Amino acid sequence: ESLDKGLEKSKTTFFSKLSKAVAGKSKVDDDVLDNLEEVLVTSDVGVDTTLKIIERIEARVAKDKYMGTDELNIILREEIAGLLSETNLGDATEISIPEGVRPYVIMVVGVNGVGKTTTIGKLAHQFKNKGFKVVLGAADTFRAAAIDQLQVWADRVDVPIVKQKMGSDPASVAFDTLSSAVSQGADVVIIDTAGRLHNKVNLMNELTKVKRVMQKVVENTPHEVLLVLDGSTGQNAFEQAKQFTKATEVTSLAVTKLDGTAKGGVVIGISDQFQIPVKYIGVGEGIEDLQVFNKYEFVDSFFS
Ligand code: GDP
């Protein structure tokens, strides 16, 4: 229900475009397919993924000889669900904390303003509600505001935070956080990092160093690297995903701000293009507004 609400704008816009694409047509022909291509591209599905979807529909039209435009909804829904199934393994794909791995360390990356801090706060809240002992690490030391904001969320969720002053070494904060987590017997550690993209080499070096130093405290960390992308920025989100996946090994994605945007299609394209599961979607500013991404629910709420 809340997912429907979160994606309302995407859905409404998508359907009005789709109905224009088939207006006055009873059968799916080349014109309709051209229009459909435009609908998908302007819904931020991305060109490559759009072409993939169009090809699949073309193949079905060719096979069935005749496809009415009234069926297009159903076919499109099936093809998109199929696409998401291929790339987004599993159904509800939240980050699960395996037994015997303590602390379980999640490093969160993404550029400023995408909703990284908010997502960390919401995630901490979810883990805490499941009975896990959570510790936050403020390793985005580049901006004072980032540290303050994380502190606000730590207070709100009521979990401990490890921080140093602005400008200190992110790797040192990460080290302290893990040491503190180990001594407190914490279950989950969530580390915020700075996401400066203006210098790719710096970003890569910084993330590599943070990882290396963390591994001195807990082996094989981080267990999870979560990239946060702002869904309302459409193609920028694609570009950021490209940069970050080059700089570090990203294991999961969170796409934020899908409420209030018509760009929900970005989730489809990103999960197809990067072969990294979207695990969460942000649908508001509140503490509860982070949903575990479920591809079936997502496609359903987009299409019904
Ligand atoms: P950061 O710089 O990446 O850490 O970004 P913040 O977490 O500070 O978020 C930037 C702004 O986006 C804040 O005003 C958040 O309340 C807002 N925000 C974050 N996630 C969402 C979301 O899913 N929906 C909406 N509408 N706003 C969000």
Side-chain angles (χ1 to χ4, degrees):
E1 186 194 326
S2 54
L3 183 61
D4 285 350
K5 201 167 154 275
L7 294 170
E8 205 161 25
K9 254 199 180 139
S10 292
K11 189 172 79 178
T12 315
T13 311
F14 185 73
F15 273 112
S16 80
K17 285 183 193 167
L18 198 60
S19 61
K20 275 185 206 136
V22 299
K25 296 273 192 178
S26 58
K27 114 186 226 290
V28 177
D29 56 16
D30 286 350
D31 270 357
V32 170
L33 287 172
D34 278 352
N35 294 344
L36 177 62
E37 189 176 321
E38 199 181 319
V39 171
L40 291 170
V41 170
T42 58
S43 302
D44 280 283
V45 172
V47 175
D48 293 342
T49 303
T50 294
L51 293 179
K52 216 180 213 177
I53 295 169
I54 296 291
E55 268 169 30
R56 290 178 183 205
I57 292 175
E58 262 169 355
R60 285 180 74 158
V61 173
K63 190 162 153 273
D64 296 348
K65 303 283 189 292
Y66 181 91
M67 188 192 289
T69 47
D70 50 347
E71 286 173 80
L72 192 59
N73 258 359
I74 301 162
I75 306 292
L76 195 55
R77 177 181 180 152
E78 283 173 9
E79 292 303 338
I80 291 174
L83 204 71
L84 287 173
S85 299
E86 289 157 25
T87 58
N88 225 316
L89 299 170
D91 295 341
T93 55
E94 69 194 303
I95 293 175
S96 61
I97 311 299
E99 271 181 51
V101 185
R102 291 295 179 272
Y104 192 76
V105 180
I106 304 164
M107 183 168 97
V108 183
V109 299
V111 302
N112 296 334
V114 294
K116 203 156 39 97
T117 315
T118 307
T119 303
I120 292 171
K122 292 167 174 176
L123 264 181
H125 174 68
Q126 288 191 6
F127 288 130
K128 192 184 172 196
N129 277 352
K130 286 185 177 157
F132 294 117
K133 203 168 168 187
V134 184
V135 173
L136 302 183
D140 180 352
T141 59
F142 191 63
R143 295 175 308 146
I147 303 171
D148 295 346
Q149 274 300 107
L150 198 66
Q151 178 72 63
V152 168
W153 274 99
D155 293 343
R156 190 174 292 161
V157 180
D158 192 21
V159 293
I161 176 173
V162 175
K163 60 181 186 179
Q164 294 177 11
K165 62 179 191 305
M166 185 194 147
S168 53
D169 182 359
S172 158
V173 179
F175 184 92
D176 281 0
T177 308
L178 261 58
S179 306
S180 164
V182 169
S183 67
Q184 293 180 55
D187 300 304
V188 182
V189 175
I190 311 177
I191 305 265
D192 189 15
T193 61
R196 281 162 290 154
L197 271 185
H198 66 261
N199 186 331
K200 264 172 259 170
V201 178
N202 274 357
L203 176 71
M204 197 181 306
N205 289 346
E206 181 168 309
L207 294 177
T208 305
K209 184 178 172 197
V210 168
K211 280 188 184 181
R212 195 177 63 235
V213 171
M214 286 200 292
Q215 286 165 2
K216 291 184 183 170
V217 190
V218 181
E219 61 182 10
N220 297 323
T221 46
H223 303 102
E224 192 93 39
V225 178
L226 175 70
L227 170 62
V228 181
L229 299 167
D230 179 344
S232 70
T233 63
Q235 295 311 299
N236 274 346
F238 275 84
E239 196 47 44
Q240 289 167 16
K242 222 181 267 173
Q243 306 285 355
F244 274 97
T245 50
K246 274 185 207 154
T248 192
E249 191 193 342
V250 175
T251 58
S252 48
L253 303 172
V255 183
T256 64
K257 307 190 197 181
L258 289 176
D259 54 306
T261 175
K263 294 175 183 292
V266 78
V267 174
I268 299 163
I270 281 179
S271 86
D272 176 46
Q273 293 299 301
F274 294 96
Q275 304 277 317
I276 300 170
V278 174
K279 295 199 175 176
Y280 297 95
I281 56 175
V283 291
E285 296 186 90
I287 196 163
E288 306 286 350
D289 297 330
L290 184 74
Q291 306 206 343
V292 174
F293 180 70
N294 177 309
K295 60 179 180 253
Y296 300 111
E297 274 179 22
F298 179 80
V299 177
D300 276 351
S301 63
F302 221 82
F303 279 92
S304 52

